[in-house]
Amino acid sequence: TEAIRNKEMTAYFQPKVELRKGRITSMEALARWISPTLGFVSPADFIPVAERAGLIREIDNRYPHTRDFSRGEFNCKLLNKF
């Protein structure tokens, strides 16, 4: 909870690409934690701990904009122009 409270967590957005057509079809939100004392903490380490501690919803609620990406509501047409 301290990492959440101290705003050490952030979301990175990774495009999902349809290789046959070479276009972005959606975006995936990836939680990242960069601790001032531990440095980069792998999601493989902190996600299971957060799940067991019942903190996943708190992380998700901290970054409500990520839900739009994970539900596929993000319009990728603009990104495909590049």
Side-chain angles (χ1 to χ4, degrees):
T1 61
E2 190 175 321
I4 297 167
R5 200 173 326 114
N6 293 338
K7 298 180 181 179
E8 297 171 10
M9 301 191 75
T10 190
Y12 285 32
F13 299 98
Q14 175 174 299
K16 289 188 172 186
V17 178
E18 184 179 336
L19 294 178
R20 288 185 183 153
K21 295 184 179 181
R23 62 185 186 98
I24 298 169
T25 57
S26 64
M27 298 288 277
E28 179 179 19
L30 306 169
R32 296 293 181 252
W33 176 20
I34 302 174
S35 165
T37 54
L38 302 172
F40 177 81
V41 181
S42 171
D45 294 329
F46 76 82
I47 294 291
V49 173
E51 288 173 337
R52 284 193 300 274
L55 296 172
I56 285 296
R57 285 200 189 263
E58 187 174 348
I59 293 170
D60 188 45
N61 290 336
R62 178 69 67 172
Y63 306 99
H65 59 281
T66 63
R67 288 191 294 273
D68 295 337
F69 286 95
S70 62
R71 279 192 238 129
E73 295 173 9
F74 180 73
N75 184 340
C76 294
K77 290 179 184 174
L78 178 63
L79 292 175
N80 283 313
K81 291 184 179 185
F82 295 101

